[in-house]
Amino acid sequence: MKSIKASKGSIVISPSLGTPLAGNVRLDNKSRGIHDDLNCNILILHDGSKKICLLGFDLIGLEFKTCNEIKSRIEKATDIPFGNIVIWATHTHSGPNTGMRMYQGTDEAQNVYLAEMLTKVVNGVIHANGVSTDVVLKTSKIDVPDLSFNRRLIHEDGSVVMNFEDFDPGEIIGTTGPIDKELITLSAWDKNGQLFALLVNFTLHPAILVGHKWLISRDYINYLDEFIRENYGEQVVTLFANGAEGNINHINYKDPFQLRGFEETERIGKKLGEYTCQSLKESIVLDGKIRFISEKVTLPLRTITPAEKEWADMVLERDKDLAEDLLDGIPDKTYARMIREMLVRPDMECETILQGLAIHNFALVTFPGEVYVEYGLKVKDLSQYTNTMVIGLANSFVGYIPKPEAFSQGGYEIRTAWTSQLDHYAGEYLVKLITDKILNNLLHQSVQVMERNASDNKYLHRDFHVALNLLLTNIYEHFGKEGMTDYLRQFSRTYHQPLNQKLKNGDLDILASYFKDIYQREEWPVEIICEENMLGIVQGSCPAISHIVKKGGSPCPYYKETYNTVYQALCEDTPFEYILEYFDDETGACKQQFFRKEKYI
Amino acid sequence: MISCTEFIPAYSEGFKFIEKAGGRIALEKFWSYLSDLYLKNTLEKLVSEEGLEGCNTYWSQSLNEEAADFKMILDEIKGEFSIHMNKCPSKGMLNSFQHMEPYHSYCDHCPALYRPILERQGYNYVDDLSNCANASCIIKIKVVND
């Protein structure tokens, strides 16, 4: 089996108290405490020829330039190339602002946080990279049908309402789309069968808390992690990667008694932990090399409509004396400000990186933002790999990637903002990019077909000299020199029987043709001297001995009998006799002569 | 000299010789010896370093150099490497000789050489030799799942 080495690490990246929170727009958005620490969890996989570094951050998102900064610094400090680093955010809504353009007036605080966090994480990767363990990789998959919900609901009047808005549940006739039930794991097990590290992928907004009590938290991921460690040991590092969660959250609109706050994060996190542990028991071994691809792409940006500009102007005038402040949700003034900013943005398109990794029948592919679940399911459907993880919010934070029809339906994700800036058809385009540039590339690496006809190649397999040498050595060791010459005689009498018959007619030319032919096939220099009654063959070295030595071996004892015995047998009952005038045992340099016997001259 | 292009008949005659001198058991010991010495630093090393792709690397060189007629598929998703040998250059060459008979169980040597190597590395080796008289066979090497 292919051996894989793995390294792991877990770095606390909780901000200091008072650092502004992301996930809502509040004047008073400074964190007041830490419920559970945020982590950057690290998993490095090395298959002997390439090293891949996976980094999962408990943050709402990381901008493209921040991801690139992290990757550049890791590349400078380690042997991990920039392109081989996969970064994603879990999307917790109870973490700090990391430079999102949505939030204003927090530049200094976020800069301080980011600078410190980057240094910690890079140092963590350097440290993790220094220690590796032989592991067996496994994968598993289980359906989780009861924890996630499509948050876009269809009202009986045909409109779309979000499941976190106010409405009468009795007036809801369904949802606009599905959920993704799959929980997929990639696990690394050490040689003692202990769980070394784990990557868990599930599609669910970690927005149960949304800055609840202004406390820092990983949301439900904290309890999932705790559950894994309770069952498999404190040594396990668990990376959580969110899926295509753009329109998926935890709210079951049919359940009026659904828990809130930390109680609900605990319930959901532990339940996910149970599903994960159950799934791990059914894991299958992954064998093979790591296949990987990373591609830089650009995505089309949305054009601000005149109506949007007009609305923004109206709101900014109307609300000019109001602060951008809402306990939950985004105020109109914030949307209006963002539209104004987006009208003068210098960039014409959105740069990002798509990546894919495959090993055996497992694959993961990345999306750069909060993609709708339908696109994640589409990519899984197109993938040939049995277990395909879709990881969202990877390598940049481009915002929501809704289906085109969502724009006419309405709702939250489609409102133009820094968090929803892409063209209406960006999702369709992304699926095509992922199919063409990522999945197809991985497939070409994972499935290779070679077809040949005999006429496509010339016949020359020099390693046969090694095999023959081993055959001769074996015969010599078991049956002695006499056995070896008996064998060579048997071979010559059988194989050279047609040539022997022709030689009986006294035709030396046929022998000359034979030798010219085999030396030509061997692509070996030789001097062949043809006279009426003598054929001479002079070689500077033997092609067989040369190849045997090149491969680290040495010719068997009496190797020269492959000349002497073989050609003496060839000459039996013919007008010719064979003489091996000299033979260098080390190089096979020799002179061979076939003489017409006196009485036949 | 026995050219490498003449190896196959030499090999076949070698099997006959060993079996006659020491019985089938001596021949099987030779195959085991050859597998250990010849394939340890080639096929086994490649498979331990590259997994199933090691099989692809090994056989793509040897089958091309032997001018075989084949289809070889490395399917890492299925966890399977397979060779569909349409015309084995070894058995095919022996079949073409009018003046000599191949060793009666010539095709037995392939599984004898390869199976122990692959099984040691944690793979299943499965072959279909039902058509080997016509120099055609199928070999499949699969990942074993616990």
Side-chain angles (χ1 to χ4, degrees), chain A residues 51-222:
Chain A
K51 205 176 255 197
I52 308 297
C53 178
L54 308 176
L55 298 174
F57 287 79
D58 287 318
L59 295 168
I60 197 164
L62 279 168
E63 296 277 359
F64 185 55
K65 66 177 192 285
T66 308
C67 293
N68 289 346
E69 175 67 24
I70 295 168
K71 293 178 186 184
S72 294
R73 287 170 63 170
I74 290 173
E75 183 181 57
K76 277 201 184 94
T78 69
D79 58 350
I80 307 170
F82 180 104
N84 288 17
I85 302 167
V86 187
I87 289 178
W88 66 81
T90 62
H91 200 47
T92 177
H93 279 50
S94 297
N97 177 10
T98 54
M100 307 308 201
R101 288 172 283 189
M102 183 168 163
Y103 310 106
Q104 55 174 351
T106 57
D107 289 351
E108 185 51 35
Q110 86 202 14
N111 290 344
V112 168
Y113 171 71
L114 275 178
E116 286 173 2
M117 189 269 283
L118 258 62
T119 301
K120 266 199 240 180
V121 165
V122 172
N123 286 341
V125 172
I126 293 168
H127 179 75
N129 193 44
V131 182
S132 66
T133 302
D134 287 324
V135 296
V136 171
L137 292 180
K138 297 185 182 183
T139 186
S140 70
K141 181 164 64 183
I142 193 167
D143 275 355
V144 178
D146 50 355
L147 295 179
S148 59
F149 300 88
N150 194 301
R151 66 187 189 181
R152 295 173 58 79
L153 310 178
I154 305 172
H155 193 269
E156 62 188 14
D157 67 10
S159 64
V160 165
V161 296
M162 306 304 295
N163 65 5
F164 48 77
E165 291 173 334
D166 287 326
F167 54 86
D168 179 351
E171 293 172 353
I172 301 299
I173 59 172
T175 61
T176 62
I179 60 169
D180 184 353
K181 295 181 205 169
E182 288 184 346
L183 182 149
I184 299 176
T185 71
L186 173 68
S187 51
W189 305 78
D190 68 20
K191 62 177 184 229
N192 299 319
Q194 201 176 41
L195 184 58
F196 178 80
L198 175 62
L199 169 58
V200 179
N201 172 237
F202 185 65
T203 300
L204 176 61
H205 250 90
I208 299 167
L209 299 173
V210 199
H212 185 59
K213 298 184 180 178
W214 285 257
L215 295 175
I216 295 290
S217 172
R218 304 172 76 190
D219 209 277
Y220 64 79
I221 300 157
N222 172 53

Side-chain angles (χ1 to χ4, degrees), chain A residues 511-531:
Chain A
L511 202 56
S513 296
Y514 164 76
F515 280 107
K516 281 177 187 163
D517 182 54
I518 60 161
Y519 277 91
Q520 197 166 45
R521 285 170 190 265
E522 283 276 355
E523 297 180 353
W524 203 258
V526 68
E527 187 188 353
I528 297 178
I529 306 151
C530 301
E531 292 173 4

Side-chain angles (χ1 to χ4, degrees), chain A residues 454, chain B residues 67-70 84-93 95-96 134-137:
Chain B
D69 185 332
F70 66 95
H84 298 253
M85 189 71 82
N86 302 319
K87 186 158 180 216
C88 171
S90 299
K91 191 69 193 292
M93 184 189 287
N95 284 352
S96 72
N134 295 319
S136 174
C137 68

Side-chain angles (χ1 to χ4, degrees), chain B residues 53-100:
Chain B
E53 198 184 26
C55 294
N56 202 51
T57 306
Y58 174 80
W59 267 293
S60 61
Q61 187 195 337
S62 64
L63 293 182
N64 275 295
E65 288 184 358
E66 292 180 56
D69 185 332
F70 66 95
K71 183 174 181 177
M72 198 161 71
I73 303 170
L74 170 65
D75 188 337
E76 290 182 342
I77 299 176
K78 273 193 202 163
E80 185 178 282
F81 169 81
S82 62
I83 300 172
H84 298 253
M85 189 71 82
N86 302 319
K87 186 158 180 216
C88 171
S90 299
K91 191 69 193 292
M93 184 189 287
L94 292 172
N95 284 352
S96 72
F97 293 140
Q98 305 291 318
H99 65 285
M100 57 188 290

